[in-house]
Amino acid sequence: MNILFIGAPGSGKGTQSRELTEKFNFVQLSTGDLLRSAIKEKTELGLKASSYMDKGQLVPDALILDLVQSFITSHSGKSVIFDGFPRTVEQAKSLRKMLESIGQKIDSVIYFKINPQILIDRLTGRRTCANCGEIFHVHTKPSTKGDKCDKCGGELVHRKDDHADVISERLKQFETNTSPTIDYFRETGDLVVVNGELQPDIVFKEIKKSLNI
Ligand code: AMP
C-alpha cells in the first residue's frame, strides 16, 4: 500500500505518520527527515539541499526524485507512507511512474487541510527531538523532561526553518507549488481531505477510517 500525506508545514503529517508506523506495518518516507540526515552527515546531497531548506524553498525535483527512487528500491514490498512528498506536480507524476514500473500504484492521498493562521503558532512552538524525530510543542505538547525528549532522552531542537521569517516562505512555497499538486490529485480522484485542525487522536481515527485499517 502506498499512502501519500500532503499538507502545509505544521499540518500534522509527521505526527500522524509516526503514529501509523508505530501502530501498523508501514514505513515512513519523510523527504524532510532524509534531507536533514543528509545535511547532518555532510553528504553531497546535504550540501546542495541546505541552501534551499535554510531559506524555506523547495529542494529541486531532480534531487528529491533520486532520493525517493532509492528509498523505493530499498523498501520494495513494504507499505509506505510518503510524508511531505510529492510537493510539486512534477514529483507527483514521477512518483506515479516509479510505482507503475514496479507494478504498484498510489492507493490514497490524504490532504491535511488547515487554516494557515494556526500553522504559525504550531511551527514557532514546535520542538523536534534531534535523535528520534518525536514532535513536541512548548504549550500544547511539552516534554515532561524539559528540553529532553520524553521518548529517548535526546535533545529537543527548534528547527532552523521553524522560525517566523522562514515559515512565511515555506507557506508561500506551499501555495505556489503544493496547492496545484493537491488539485492534480483531486482531478485523478485519489484525494481524501482530513481536517488538520482537530486533535491528533481524532485525525488519526479519520485516517484509519479512510484507509479501512
Ligand atoms: P519538512 O520537514 O517536510 O517540513 O521539509 C523541510 C524542508 O525540506 C522543506 O522546506 C524543503 O526545503 C525540503 N523538502 C522536503 N520535502 C521536499 C519535497 N518533497 N520537495 C522539495 N523540497 C522538500
Side-chain angles (χ1 to χ4, degrees):
M1 207 196 256
N2 294 294
I3 312 297
L4 276 47
F5 278 5
I6 301 189
S11 58
K13 307 180 300 290
T15 300
Q16 297 297 332
S17 308
R18 295 176 66 79
E19 196 73 9
L20 270 183
T21 52
E22 273 173 25
K23 305 221 160 98
F24 296 92
N25 208 12
F26 282 102
V27 289
Q28 175 192 15
L29 162 59
S30 158
T31 39
D33 284 351
L34 288 181
L35 292 168
R36 278 183 289 278
S37 303
I39 291 174
K40 215 166 161 185
E41 287 158 21
K42 297 192 166 58
T43 66
E44 205 184 320
L45 167 68
L47 290 175
K48 285 184 188 156
S50 64
S51 60
Y52 296 96
M53 292 171 75
D54 287 351
K55 289 186 236 143
Q57 294 169 353
L58 291 188
V59 173
D61 286 339
L63 297 178
I64 297 288
L65 290 169
D66 278 353
L67 195 65
V68 172
Q69 178 68 73
S70 46
F71 184 94
I72 289 177
T73 308
S74 60
H75 291 79
S76 75
K78 301 250 168 68
S79 287
V80 182
I81 297 171
F82 294 85
D83 164 10
F85 172 87
R87 290 187 193 197
T88 65
V89 174
E90 172 67 26
Q91 291 179 13
K93 290 182 175 168
S94 300
L95 175 65
R96 208 179 273 288
K97 282 193 203 133
M98 279 181 213
L99 292 175
E100 274 168 13
S101 75
I102 51 167
Q104 293 190 24
K105 62 180 174 63
I106 294 167
D107 294 282
S108 184
V109 182
I110 298 185
Y111 166 38
F112 292 67
K113 195 171 181 200
I114 190 163
N115 178 338
Q117 208 44 47
I118 297 176
L119 297 173
I120 315 264
D121 174 62
R122 281 202 186 173
L123 292 169
T124 49
R126 178 160 78 176
R127 298 293 180 270
T128 310
C129 175
N131 180 47
C132 74
E134 187 67 15
I135 299 162
F136 297 88
H137 187 280
V138 285
H139 298 128
T140 57
K141 194 191 165 198
S143 168
T144 57
K145 294 185 185 149
D147 57 2
K148 298 275 185 281
C149 175
D150 262 342
K151 284 214 164 153
C152 75
E155 191 197 346
L156 299 187
V157 294
H158 188 187
R159 272 171 50 178
K160 237 182 183 175
D161 58 351
D162 277 349
H163 289 81
D165 49 339
V166 187
I167 292 170
S168 60
E169 178 60 25
R170 290 167 73 199
L171 294 179
K172 217 159 87 190
Q173 294 281 333
F174 176 78
E175 265 319 301
T176 312
N177 294 296
T178 311
S179 288
T181 315
I182 293 164
D183 293 338
Y184 166 79
F185 285 119
R186 194 172 281 118
E187 280 159 26
T188 59
D190 297 307
L191 202 70
V192 174
V193 182
V194 297
N195 181 353
E197 293 177 23
L198 300 174
Q199 291 298 316
D201 55 329
I202 298 173
V203 177
F204 189 59
K205 278 188 195 144
E206 274 196 31
I207 292 173
K208 280 196 303 179
K209 201 165 123 198
S210 86
L211 297 178
N212 264 325
I213 54 174

